[in-house]
Amino acid sequence: MRNLIFDIDGTLLDSVDLHAAAWAEAFRHFGIAVSPDEVRGQIGKGGDQLMPVFVPKERLERDRETIETFRSTLFTDEYLPKVRPFPGVRALFERLKAEGHVLALASSGKADEVERYQEIAGIRDLVDVATNSDEADRSKPHPDIFEAALGKLGHPAKGQAVVIGDSPYDAEAAVKAGLPVIGVLCGGFPEAQLGEAGCTAIYRDPQDLLDGYDSSILRRGVP
């Protein structure tokens, strides 16, 4: 399994609660009462898929861009400095590179956000390719971002790429793109939900995946 495509938020970075809080604060600013807990279950989708859950259609048509711009600035200024990597991220990527894997990041974040995420995770020098929102018309659970990553990886043959993500939206998008997916629990989604969405295997976090690498499908391939 040569090509490994990683989600970032909730998979490599402990950022899900922070994104939920930023969305809830942004919605409140525009008079939409939504709690962080309500938003949390939608994190993993991009703004184009998340906002329609909470914003009435007519309001969305009028204010979508204004709300998204406010939320993006708010997150960058107030919440991004609090984001930290999960344990084992750098060590996992070092091991994977040593084993000959090609490492990709598939994020629906803006290009500058994806750059900053790599710095926070301490993996910029280990990442081979990365996607951003400019490369996908639709965010997860649509497959666009993973298809963009596959394109950057040279369209590897079936069985030569796998997705690693924390949300059912990652799993749904991966399955639609024809990719197997490994789930991690550190993003806060229940194991049963990840399994139902299509995860082939589930680990606690990046450190657990590193510890279990020798017996994982990353090394042995999909049965």
Side-chain angles (χ1 to χ4, degrees):
M1 191 65 72
R2 177 170 168 75
N3 301 277
L4 312 184
I5 305 172
F6 284 86
D7 170 59
I8 301 177
D9 287 305
T11 300
L12 303 177
L13 299 180
D14 189 1
S15 56
V16 174
D17 287 336
L18 296 170
H19 277 293
W23 273 112
E25 184 175 342
F27 286 142
R28 285 197 304 273
H29 179 81
F30 290 94
I32 302 167
V34 179
S35 72
D37 286 344
E38 291 176 284
V39 179
R40 198 188 195 288
Q42 302 295 321
I43 299 299
K45 299 178 178 180
D48 62 315
Q49 303 297 312
L50 184 150
M51 278 196 283
V53 176
F54 304 106
V55 183
K57 183 178 179 180
E58 63 279 2
R59 181 84 185 272
L60 192 63
E61 292 173 352
R62 185 180 72 244
D63 296 334
R64 177 197 294 268
E65 187 173 337
T66 303
I67 295 172
E68 170 58 26
T69 299
F70 180 89
R71 183 219 59 88
S72 179
T73 301
L74 174 67
F75 183 81
T76 299
D77 293 346
E78 302 295 332
Y79 292 92
L80 186 60
K82 302 175 185 178
V83 173
R84 298 292 181 270
F86 287 115
V89 171
R90 172 77 190 185
L92 172 63
F93 272 52
E94 288 177 336
R95 172 70 186 276
L96 296 175
K97 290 294 286 187
E99 295 285 345
H101 295 289
V102 178
L103 305 181
L105 301 181
S107 173
S108 298
K110 295 179 174 60
D112 58 343
E113 293 174 343
V114 176
E115 287 290 322
R116 182 73 180 109
Y117 288 156
Q118 292 180 67
E119 294 175 2
I120 293 170
I123 56 173
R124 179 193 288 276
D125 59 316
L126 300 172
V127 172
D128 295 293
V129 302
T131 65
N132 62 69
S133 59
D134 292 336
E135 298 166 279
D137 292 332
R138 304 166 300 175
S139 66
K140 305 165 193 171
H142 295 288
D144 302 31
I145 202 69
F146 291 136
E147 291 171 348
L150 288 172
K152 285 192 169 185
L153 291 168
H155 298 287
K158 186 176 178 63
Q160 281 296 303
V162 63
V163 166
I164 300 93
D166 72 294
S167 77
Y169 314 117
D170 293 318
E172 291 170 26
V175 170
K176 290 173 184 174
L179 294 166
V181 56
I182 293 173
V184 288
L185 298 171
C186 44
F189 286 93
E191 184 171 356
Q193 193 173 357
L194 295 180
E196 290 169 3
C199 289
T200 302
I202 298 175
Y203 293 83
R204 288 191 308 274
D205 54 22
Q207 183 64 55
D208 190 33
L209 183 55
L210 172 60
D211 293 342
Y213 172 80
D214 287 338
S215 60
S216 74
I217 67 171
L218 300 183
R219 184 164 195 172
R220 298 180 179 273
V222 178

